[in-house]
Amino acid sequence: MPSERQLPGKLSRRAILGGAAAATGAVTLTGVGAGTAVAATRQADVAVVGGGLAGLTAARDIAAAGKSVVVLEARDRVGGRVVNLKLAGGGVTEGGGEFIGPTQNRIKALADSLGVETFPTFNTGKNLLYKDGTRTPYATDGILGAVPPIDIAGLANAAAVQAMLDDMATKVPVDAPWTAEKAVEWDSQTFESWLRKHAVIPSAKFLLDVACTSIFSAQPSELSLLFVLFYIAAAGDESTPGTLERLTDTANGAQERRFVGGSGQVPLKLAELLGNKVVLGAPVRSIAASGGRLTVTADSLTVSARRVIVAVPPPLAARIQYDPLLPALRDQLSQRMPMGSIGKAIAVYDTPFWRADGLNGQVVSDTGTVRSTFDNSPPDASFGALMGFIEADEMRELDSASVDEVKAAVLKDFALYFGDKAKTPTSFVLQRWNNEAYSRGGPVAYGPPGLLTKYGTALRTPANGIHWAGTETSGHWMGYMDGAVRSGERAAREVLAAL
């Protein structure tokens, strides 16, 4: 069994900035846990399962209220689906969540409080559309904005469908989408079946398919229409309605900004504040209630707590043994809520050479392993980095491929989009979330038909002293870092009210 690892009360700034992943994505915090003797049991007011943004945020708020808390994290790092990857030539890039944008107020407030600054995602120059074997550069500041230049009929059809989706989404309450007037009707069909009725021009269907896989890392046939409408509605805040455009756009959208030094700094610095309240290398196996307390058993530590927050995706929460059993509705929910399929591949070059060609590094494609890309270079452009998303069917096809095989496929696509210079990066890193033991996919666990209307009420309902957090439980910005932070804040409020 893995030994328990514990964050010391204070980590140096160098340790926080230097704690990053190897190319495989396995991250350790520099200097953590060496030679530290820790008792096998602890007492706490609250035990938090999961050291991602949700769990760490909940622990921060609980500790600030004067209650004792222990965070049990299965990995040898904090951050969950947010992680910095170390590059061979120095510097870092992001292997998981990295972008933030307008109305993502809670992740921005958290980062500000930790001194982590943001910078604009590189968006100067032309996008690329690769469709039907043709490479077409296009400006994003014209009348069409960021919409790829497909045929006029397709553009008109896509615009009409987008307007329909945005309008339908306004009728979905973000905190209880299953209560929408047409919830049963919308939850009884897939997004694919709805698109086939309304996106009747092939080029329009192409745009909406790409939007779907880019947002959910799942095919339209896997998603409930109600879940898609809820996700659109959630792409806002308490005063700003969500829109599909905000999900897909860079400027004024969810991909507008990045974090200086990588998004992984946010959970690392938050964990530093919590110190030895965070225990690494401690996968939780069981949670048992007895005598008014809950016993949380991990591989290396047992915590006795008055309340528990489980802050991991529903499919992974289902792998914990519970005594007494969870309510059937909650267990059935977990059985029906799969993770999306996603990987990120980053090729590093001496310079961001595509910028000299007037390109911003963003691609939309109808073919290949990588069908959407971004410029992942640092703000000072001290090196160039192209990031490609591998999603849904394309990711599943490569789950068992070697890193070299994936690299060859990715670089082939990069060369197709950006020319021969893309064939010879100085380094290459790959993060396959499907193959991560404590994620098994990403960016979010999604809702197939029937999930929200039949089981959605169990997403946030506490059971036997256990409360639920994680981005999947958020009303606004589910699936994003902002949703994770919001969920941690909400779970902390619940627990503090119950103590």
Side-chain angles (χ1 to χ4, degrees):
M1 291 189 180
S3 61
E4 180 188 2
R5 296 190 180 181
Q6 179 176 319
L7 289 166
K10 291 185 178 180
L11 290 177
S12 68
R13 178 171 295 273
R14 181 176 181 181
I16 286 295
L17 296 178
T24 59
V27 181
T28 58
L29 295 174
T30 305
V32 172
T36 304
V38 181
T41 62
R42 286 200 201 177
Q43 302 280 326
D45 291 315
V46 183
V48 177
V49 180
L53 284 173
L56 295 172
T57 298
R60 174 204 63 180
D61 290 357
I62 291 164
K67 302 298 182 181
S68 57
V69 62
V70 177
V71 179
L72 297 167
E73 167 55 46
R75 293 179 172 95
D76 285 339
R77 64 167 178 84
V78 293
R81 285 166 274 179
V82 177
V83 59
N84 278 0
L85 304 179
K86 187 177 180 180
L87 300 175
V92 299
T93 191
E94 298 94 338
E98 65 175 280
F99 300 110
I100 67 168
T103 74
Q104 295 187 3
N105 309 315
R106 301 315 303 154
I107 179 64
K108 182 62 165 59
L110 173 60
D112 287 347
S113 73
L114 297 170
V116 181
E117 298 180 350
T118 65
F119 68 100
T121 302
F122 189 79
N123 200 36
T124 301
K126 294 184 177 181
N127 282 23
L128 285 176
L129 170 66
Y130 191 89
K131 187 174 185 297
D132 299 327
T134 299
R135 177 182 177 275
T136 305
Y138 64 98
T140 61
D141 55 0
I143 190 171
L144 297 178
V147 179
I150 57 173
D151 57 280
I152 297 299
L155 286 171
N157 188 199
V161 170
Q162 181 170 286
M164 291 175 66
L165 291 168
D166 285 346
D167 180 66
M168 293 159 69
T170 64
K171 300 172 175 63
V172 178
V174 294
D175 288 327
W178 47 87
T179 65
E181 182 179 353
K182 294 187 177 181
V184 174
E185 175 187 337
W186 292 339
D187 206 29
S188 299
Q189 58 186 300
T190 65
F191 188 39
E192 172 72 18
S193 62
W194 187 87
L195 282 176
R196 287 183 178 179
K197 294 177 182 177
H198 299 282
V200 294
I201 306 297
S203 54
K205 180 65 161 54
F206 155 71
L207 287 185
L208 289 154
D209 284 348
V210 170
C212 178
T213 54
S214 297
I215 294 167
F216 300 101
S217 298
Q219 302 297 140
S221 59
E222 298 176 288
L223 300 165
S224 154
L225 173 61
L226 178 63
F227 184 80
V228 172
L229 296 174
F230 157 62
Y231 218 79
I232 294 170
D237 58 20
E238 291 76 7
S239 60
T240 308
T243 65
L244 180 59
E245 300 96 310
R246 195 172 294 119
L247 287 169
T248 59
D249 285 355
T250 299
N252 300 313
Q255 288 69 233
E256 184 175 74
R257 302 186 72 83
R258 297 171 56 207
F259 291 103
V260 177
S263 55
Q265 284 199 92
V266 178
L268 284 171
K269 289 193 172 188
L270 186 50
E272 180 185 29
L273 293 178
L274 291 165
N276 63 7
K277 297 177 179 66
V278 179
V279 181
L280 302 179
V284 170
R285 307 301 181 184
S286 66
I287 302 173
S290 178
R293 295 186 71 85
L294 295 105
T295 300
V296 183
T297 303
D299 282 0
S300 54
L301 179 69
T302 297
V303 178
S304 175
R306 297 165 64 191
R307 291 276 166 167
V308 172
I309 296 174
V310 175
V312 299
L316 298 186
R319 299 180 184 184
I320 299 170
Q321 291 186 335
Y322 299 89
D323 182 14
L325 293 175
L326 291 178
L329 197 69
R330 170 69 200 194
D331 194 70
Q332 292 279 313
L333 167 84
S334 300
Q335 293 179 38
R336 288 165 168 79
M337 199 171 187
M339 300 296 289
S341 298
I342 186 171
K344 291 179 73 174
I346 300 97
V348 179
Y349 305 89
D350 290 332
T351 63
F353 62 84
W354 50 92
R355 297 183 184 181
D357 296 329
L359 302 175
N360 62 18
Q362 296 174 45
V363 172
V364 174
S365 176
D366 66 350
T367 190
T369 294
V370 169
R371 302 192 179 193
S372 63
T373 70
F374 282 87
D375 182 327
N376 251 43
S377 309
D380 62 1
S382 54
F383 60 84
L386 281 175
M387 183 270 287
F389 283 112
I390 311 172
E391 299 182 287
D393 285 349
E394 285 68 47
M395 186 68 261
R396 286 187 281 264
E397 289 176 3
L398 292 172
D399 278 344
S400 60
S402 69
V403 172
D404 286 343
E405 288 171 331
V406 177
K407 178 181 179 180
V410 169
L411 294 182
K412 178 181 177 182
D413 290 340
F414 284 178
L416 193 65
Y417 307 144
F418 299 105
D420 286 346
K421 290 181 181 178
K423 293 180 179 179
T424 54
T426 58
S427 64
F428 180 87
V429 291
L430 176 66
Q431 180 76 22
R432 288 192 276 192
W433 290 101
N434 292 18
N435 293 342
E436 273 268 332
Y438 298 110
S439 292
R440 299 320 308 260
V444 67
Y446 61 84
L451 178 93
L452 288 176
T453 50
K454 291 181 172 63
Y455 308 97
T457 57
L459 262 173
R460 291 186 294 273
T461 302
N464 307 325
I466 300 169
H467 300 253
W468 310 103
T471 190
E472 285 82 6
T473 69
S474 183
H476 288 107
W477 287 108
M478 177 189 185
Y480 290 77
M481 291 183 286
D482 191 72
V485 174
R486 287 172 181 269
S487 77
E489 293 172 338
R490 186 259 312 150
R493 289 194 298 268
E494 289 178 3
V495 166
L496 290 171
L499 290 175

